[in-house]
Amino acid sequence: MAWQAKILVHNGRSVPFHEARLHPLSVATAYGAGVFEGIRAYRNPQTGRFSVFRLEEHLARLVQGMKVMRFDDPPSADALREGVLRAVRENEPDDDVYIRLQVQIEGLGGQETTGPVGWVAAAVPRQRSARFATGLSVGVSSWIRIADNSVPPRVKATANYHASRLVTLQAKADGYDMAVILNHLGKVSEAPGACLFIVRDGRVITPSRHSDILESVTRETVLTLAGEAGLPVEEAMIDRTELYVADEVFICGTGQELQPVIAVDRLPVGNGKPGAITLRLQSAYESVVRGTTNAHAEWRTPVM
Ligand code: PMP
């Protein structure tokens, strides 16, 4: 059996996991006024030690989100970093950890309310996707991706996931593992909780940051790893039909990790099996997150 979460850190205090409290009329629940990060801590198989992957990049994105949300007296990155490390340490995990770090308006009030702001760092077990090795069958959603001039995707706000849920529920109802979402221009944006890449003629291509994507930490990691592997990389606009003619498609994100896509709208991608470049990048990603390579030690924060 997987380890169990015992505590979470709420406003700097360790609280028994099932006893954490928030008022049901807080602005966080009433209007979805929260920003969060999904972060992973991986166990190194040789040492048994844990390190948090790209913690500083996640903290930086959260700080940007709090600014856009005009939060009063936001918690410092130092306090949040310490909260994350403490949540992992005090839960004494024996396997990989998924961390949710969330900052929210815990006070009551109307839409203009900007505080008091609280935060929570929770560490829970999370299994790898059952499709990690075999690949996902995805469908293009009829829902449209949220946009920067309404619900900015660059801000990882809890409220954004209302749209993602509709996409996911439709995809499940239609018999797909996951969906791909197009933006208001009809160009490929991303999946409901992950970014997307295609491979065409050896080029590794992902929607640009002007495609209404979340500026994903994993996307940036994959672009770096692909470049280091000598593969040409490109950030561009991607058409729906490019998904159908691509040699390979894969998705990536902290929670989803890097997973092949083997069918889009029931058309096979390439030969319908995970592609060679996808598998190479999946393996490179696994080595850097787990620290079985010395490369990019700066991306791993040890949990002491
Ligand atoms: N897009 C969305 C909508 C997401 O929720 C996520 C997961 N945070 C991603 C992309 C991937 O982002 P990251 O690589 O930073 O986890």
Side-chain angles (χ1 to χ4, degrees), residues 139-167:
V140 174
S141 184
S142 61
W143 295 101
I144 289 178
R145 179 69 179 148
I146 53 175
D148 191 63
N149 58 357
S150 56
V151 183
R154 183 169 284 105
V155 178
K156 194 170 164 60
T158 53
N160 297 11
Y161 291 82
H162 168 55
S164 290
R165 285 190 77 248
L166 293 176
V167 169

Side-chain angles (χ1 to χ4, degrees), residues 129-268:
S129 158
R131 299 275 188 269
F132 184 83
T134 51
L136 301 155
S137 165
V138 308
V140 174
S141 184
S142 61
W143 295 101
I144 289 178
R145 179 69 179 148
I146 53 175
D148 191 63
N149 58 357
S150 56
V151 183
R154 183 169 284 105
V155 178
K156 194 170 164 60
T158 53
N160 297 11
Y161 291 82
H162 168 55
S164 290
R165 285 190 77 248
L166 293 176
V167 169
T168 298
L169 293 170
Q170 182 197 17
K172 297 285 176 203
D174 291 348
Y176 293 112
D177 297 320
M178 194 180 280
V180 175
I181 320 168
L182 308 181
N183 69 6
H184 61 287
L185 298 173
K187 304 297 176 187
V188 174
S189 180
E190 57 178 17
C195 279
L196 180 136
F197 281 78
I198 63 173
V199 180
R200 288 193 74 183
D201 302 324
R203 303 182 73 77
V204 177
I205 312 167
T206 192
S208 79
R209 69 175 198 280
H210 306 298
S211 303
D212 300 300
I213 60 166
L214 175 71
E215 290 183 346
S216 147
V217 174
T218 317
R219 173 182 173 278
E220 204 267 324
T221 302
V222 170
L223 286 169
T224 303
L225 294 175
E228 289 173 357
L231 298 164
V233 296
E234 210 179 300
E235 298 176 59
M237 288 212 280
I238 296 182
D239 292 329
R240 176 178 188 158
T241 50
E242 284 191 279
L243 300 174
Y244 301 155
V245 301
D247 304 314
E248 302 183 27
V249 178
F250 64 88
I251 57 134
C252 71
T254 302
Q256 296 295 334
E257 305 179 286
L258 198 159
Q259 293 181 60
V261 172
I262 53 166
V264 180
D265 293 340
R266 309 207 194 282
L267 290 170

